[in-house]
Amino acid sequence: MKDFPWLTTLWLAPVIGAVVVLALPAAQRLLARCVALAVSIAVLAFAVVLAVRFEPGGEQYQFVEDHEWIPAFGAGYTVGVDGIALVLVLLTTALVPLLILAGWHDEREVGSGRRVSHTYVALTLLVEAMVLISFVSLDILLFYVFFEAMLIPMYFLIGGFGPRSANVELRQQRSRAAVKFLLYNLFGGLIMLAAVIGLYVVTARNGLGADSAGTFDFRTVVAAANSGQLGAAPAVLNALFLGFMFAFAVKAPLWPLHTWLPDAAVAATPSSAVLMMAVVDKVGTFGMLRYCLMLFPDASSTYAPLVITLAVIGIVYGALLAIGQTDVMRLIAYTSISHFGFIILGIFAMTSQGQTGATLYMVNHGISTAALFLIAGFLVSRRGTRLIADFGGVQKVAPVLAGSFFIAGLATLSLPGLAPFISEFLVLVGTFSRYQFAAVVATGALVLAALYVLWLYQRMMTGPVKEGNEHIYDLVPRELAVVVPLIAALLFFGVYPKPILDFINPAVSQTLTTIGKHDPEPAVPTLPEAGKAEHPGGVHK
């Protein structure tokens, strides 16, 4: 089994599943959904096997596969996984089956075409495959290709499968949101393409590839970058860093490049919106941690104060705009902008606590956002409106739905005892050791989070039952099968995050060692600085 192509099988399985689904007869809608669900569960099981076989204290990149792809350009099919990528692989493969199950009847809303079910679930599997290969890629060009390619199925999920409406204006808004999503991310990708080409030219000038050519091998370029063998001027490396960072900041998204996210989240079905916010957008923050920091360590240090400033603005901005929303789905989308600010803050603090917290936050944000957005989606589908003012008293008619919504909301505001608290605490502690003011401002934003979550719950779930809400029914078994694992994960990892941290901690240590960063030494005052008084005779008290 040593030579078994573990990672190729991991991402290729959902591609094959998508092809099988599309090949099914048009009338077999139920079978199409069942096949997609079975494939996604099989991929999850395979990822769990990978996690069991992974050695946290072993080689940095494991299950490595290295084959020629485009030898003339120094590009290869090279894949491997470290602890950071592995936990994101597990997050992705765990969420996709739940999203397929949550959107089991979405075709009733998105359209009446005979092959709607087939296309919908096939696109979901294709997005999963492209995200997975992005996480495991160790070739810069290979990563870039799928970084961009995942936009296509995601575009169709947003623009072609949003909630159906007879309102022409709403359909136009959905189309505009999909185009906005695509244009923003394509523009970021084009900037990154220029940086990828520029990096290749730099490696070619220094003969890092075979036959004095360039190379796209990530490990080779990282080794050269951190040994000073790239031979490029600091200004060139700064420009290349900005090219990569811009694309990742759009994908993540980082303020002020975030404006596509709320529109896209509202336009898509809840399952597709969660796929975008909890899975696809993580490729952006993962790219910052792996590519920006490790390829351009000096440039990352140079621009860290600017990125941290933007992250803190995003934290406060997202929370403030969430408070002012009247649309429940748009409110939750703005909370994600705030949470991505915390993740980016932890990454660029460049401390072990900050980066560990940021990676853990990627996982916890995926779980908490999935829970809150999907439960809200179940509620909206029952009531037929997204306006917060149209709800009220839901806890009286659907207590399980309201209770699960409350727990997911508390997780979103990082209540102690729920999974996001630990990651947010680590980010703030890690940031404070280098950027005290940024950490203090970010901590103050927690009050805003409590405000938008608790006020949202009060308006929607408490009080008398408003007219039109009396027929809202509680979660059905299929929905419970989606919600219960998410709530259980929030509770379990809230008190026992060790299984995830065991993968993350060694990988973060290796990353910091590679880029030459160490945690700041704690400032311990000397006796005179501490104001130690002395007796007149010179003896210390």
Side-chain angles (χ1 to χ4, degrees):
M1 298 294 286
K2 182 179 180 180
D3 297 326
F4 185 80
W6 293 96
L7 299 182
T8 298
T9 304
L10 177 72
W11 71 263
L12 196 57
V15 174
I16 296 173
V19 172
V20 171
V21 166
L22 291 174
L24 293 174
Q28 298 294 331
R29 298 184 180 184
L30 178 60
L31 180 60
R33 294 193 296 267
C34 290
V35 169
L37 180 61
V39 169
S40 65
I41 293 174
V43 174
L44 170 59
F46 194 82
V48 171
V49 172
L50 279 179
V52 172
R53 294 177 63 89
F54 186 85
E55 299 177 8
E59 294 290 330
Q60 182 173 7
Y61 301 108
Q62 300 180 32
F63 309 109
V64 174
E65 301 172 40
D66 193 353
H67 306 284
E68 287 189 347
W69 180 30
I70 314 176
F73 296 137
Y77 173 76
T78 309
V79 292
V81 66
D82 65 352
I84 295 172
L86 182 60
V87 296
L88 294 176
V89 165
L90 290 170
L91 171 68
T92 301
T93 55
L95 285 182
V96 169
L98 298 179
L99 298 182
I100 291 175
L101 195 58
W104 198 256
H105 298 304
D106 276 353
E107 80 279 359
R108 295 178 181 176
E109 299 180 7
V110 302
S112 57
R114 297 191 67 192
R115 299 193 65 84
V116 166
S117 294
H118 299 61
T119 307
Y120 185 65
V121 295
L123 288 172
T124 301
L125 290 176
L126 286 176
V127 171
E128 178 185 25
M130 294 177 183
V131 169
L132 290 175
I133 194 172
S134 297
F135 286 144
V136 303
S137 175
L138 291 179
D139 183 273
I140 299 169
L141 183 61
L142 182 68
F143 170 83
Y144 173 77
V145 168
F146 287 94
F147 179 82
E148 288 291 271
M150 70 180 68
L151 300 178
I152 304 304
M154 199 68 240
Y155 165 79
F156 285 111
L157 283 173
I158 296 170
F161 295 92
R164 185 174 59 179
S165 174
N167 190 316
V168 175
E169 183 179 353
L170 291 179
R171 293 202 302 269
Q172 291 175 343
Q173 288 177 357
R174 187 176 70 203
S175 298
R176 286 196 296 268
V179 171
K180 189 176 182 180
F181 159 82
L182 187 62
L183 290 180
Y184 265 65
N185 284 275
L186 279 178
F187 181 67
L190 289 174
I191 300 297
M192 181 178 169
L193 177 59
V196 169
I197 295 172
L199 183 60
Y200 175 81
V201 171
V202 169
T203 62
R205 286 179 178 175
N206 291 274
L208 295 179
D211 300 324
S212 298
T215 182
F216 288 106
D217 187 280
F218 172 75
R219 293 168 298 174
T220 300
V221 180
V222 167
N226 290 279
S227 63
Q229 295 179 2
L230 275 182
V236 173
L237 295 177
N238 287 346
L240 296 178
F241 164 83
L242 291 174
F244 278 81
M245 183 63 196
F246 184 83
F248 297 144
V250 172
K251 181 90 76 176
L254 174 66
W255 183 93
L257 304 173
H258 67 281
T259 57
W260 61 267
L261 177 62
D263 293 338
V266 170
T269 64
S271 295
S272 296
V274 171
L275 182 66
M276 177 184 67
M277 292 188 295
V279 177
V280 172
D281 289 355
K282 296 300 187 303
V283 180
T285 48
F286 171 77
M288 295 178 193
L289 186 55
R290 169 167 287 183
Y291 291 91
C292 287
L293 265 61
M294 297 186 73
L295 292 175
F296 314 104
D298 293 336
S300 297
S301 298
T302 299
Y303 287 101
L306 173 61
V307 176
I308 284 176
T309 300
L310 296 178
V312 171
I313 292 174
I315 291 170
V316 178
Y317 174 87
L320 287 174
L321 262 66
I323 292 172
Q325 296 305 307
T326 58
D327 182 321
V328 59
M329 309 305 271
R330 189 173 289 271
L331 184 153
I332 299 172
Y334 274 110
T335 68
S336 282
I337 295 172
S338 185
H339 294 151
F340 275 110
F342 277 106
I343 295 170
I344 297 169
L345 182 66
I347 291 172
F348 280 88
M350 297 187 193
T351 60
S352 58
Q353 298 97 332
Q355 292 193 355
T356 297
T359 307
L360 184 61
Y361 211 133
M362 293 185 215
V363 177
N364 291 335
H365 169 263
I367 299 171
S368 61
T369 296
L372 189 61
F373 210 90
L374 291 176
I375 296 168
F378 294 150
L379 183 59
V380 168
S381 67
R382 287 159 166 72
R383 184 65 174 83
T385 177
R386 301 194 308 260
L387 295 178
I388 298 172
D390 290 338
F391 294 91
V394 173
Q395 66 179 12
K396 291 185 172 66
V397 294
V400 176
L401 187 154
S404 57
F405 186 88
F406 185 58
I407 296 174
L410 293 179
T412 300
L413 64 83
S414 300
L415 185 77
L418 296 172
F421 168 75
I422 298 171
S423 47
E424 199 162 282
F425 179 78
L426 286 172
V427 166
L428 293 173
V429 169
T431 302
F432 188 82
S433 62
R434 274 211 171 99
Y435 302 97
Q436 289 87 350
F437 181 74
V440 170
V441 175
T443 303
L446 298 179
V447 178
L448 300 176
L451 180 59
Y452 63 66
V453 168
L454 296 178
W455 192 29
L456 173 67
Y457 184 83
Q458 180 189 33
R459 287 181 288 172
M460 294 184 67
M461 304 298 174
T462 64
V465 179
K466 281 193 175 183
E467 183 179 355
N469 293 332
E470 60 274 0
H471 300 299
I472 293 177
Y473 54 91
D474 220 332
L475 296 177
V476 299
R478 174 182 60 84
E479 295 167 338
L480 285 172
V482 174
V483 173
V484 170
L486 295 172
I487 299 297
L490 291 173
L491 294 170
F492 179 80
F493 293 122
V495 296
Y496 192 65
K498 186 177 181 297
I500 304 178
L501 292 177
D502 284 346
F503 293 118
I504 296 174
N505 284 330
V508 166
S509 297
Q510 290 168 330
T511 299
L512 290 173
T513 300
T514 300
I515 65 176
K517 288 290 182 181
H518 307 282
D519 291 336
E521 293 291 336
V524 180
T526 61
L527 288 178
E529 292 173 342
K532 295 291 185 179
E534 295 184 354
H535 287 294
V539 179
H540 290 291
K541 285 184 178 180

